[in-house]
Amino acid sequence: MKIVTKSLKTTIWGKEFDLPIKYENSKNNEITDLQDKAISEFINNGFRYIDDQIYNVKEFIIGEVSTHKSINDKLHIDMSLYNSNKGKKNLDKLIPNIFTIVKPRSIFVRDTNNERKVIIDFSYKGESERGIGFCIVYKNGKFDTLGEGPKEDL
């Protein structure tokens, strides 16, 4: 399986990044029409949806920190301040700058027969070499999932 890569300058949560785009490619080492449509659709519409996910990402991080001590040993989030009843204000207090916790690593475009799937891969602070992080998945132009993601694909 060959991965074709190029990069894209974009803004995520108010910060500019130059992210590599990786295309899963299993047919003739060419980007498929479906992959081309998926990344075009994502570039035109998807990035605005990433900004909508910031509080879901912060909630996900809090969940990971509360269940995986090894992650919080590096991130140093004071979980004694967490109160799920206080919503967004509490999340902003715990994680005032998302980029002290995570950073986007790459954009991955799956090669599928019938779905347009784009995955944004994020790593936790200090973990980019080991691949520890999470993914935001967009399918057919819409947010699909947030989670540990298909690391084997990346």
Side-chain angles (χ1 to χ4, degrees), residues 53-127:
Q53 296 304 316
I54 192 163
Y55 287 105
N56 291 333
V57 168
K58 287 181 179 185
E59 282 282 355
F60 179 81
I61 291 167
I62 295 300
E64 290 292 289
V65 164
S66 65
T67 57
H68 301 295
K69 185 181 179 321
S70 63
I71 293 175
N72 200 27
D73 286 347
K74 289 191 181 249
L75 302 181
H76 308 292
I77 296 174
D78 185 356
M79 290 302 290
S80 68
L81 300 174
Y82 181 63
N83 180 340
S84 61
N85 297 325
K86 292 191 177 180
K88 292 179 180 180
K89 275 188 170 184
N90 189 238
L91 289 171
D92 285 339
K93 189 176 197 177
L94 285 169
I95 306 174
N97 179 354
I98 191 86
F99 298 113
T100 61
I101 307 294
V102 299
K103 69 176 185 175
R105 188 171 28 200
S106 64
I107 300 167
F108 186 72
V109 185
R110 293 294 312 262
D111 185 5
T112 66
N113 290 327
N114 56 3
E115 297 175 329
R116 299 176 314 280
K117 194 176 265 190
V118 176
I119 301 166
I120 310 302
D121 180 40
F122 291 83
S123 63
Y124 289 114
K125 176 181 159 186
E127 294 290 357

Side-chain angles (χ1 to χ4, degrees), residues 1-4 25-31:
M1 185 178 316
K2 181 174 169 61
I3 304 286
V4 179
N25 198 309
S26 58
K27 298 178 186 104
N28 303 323
N29 296 329
E30 294 177 6
I31 298 169

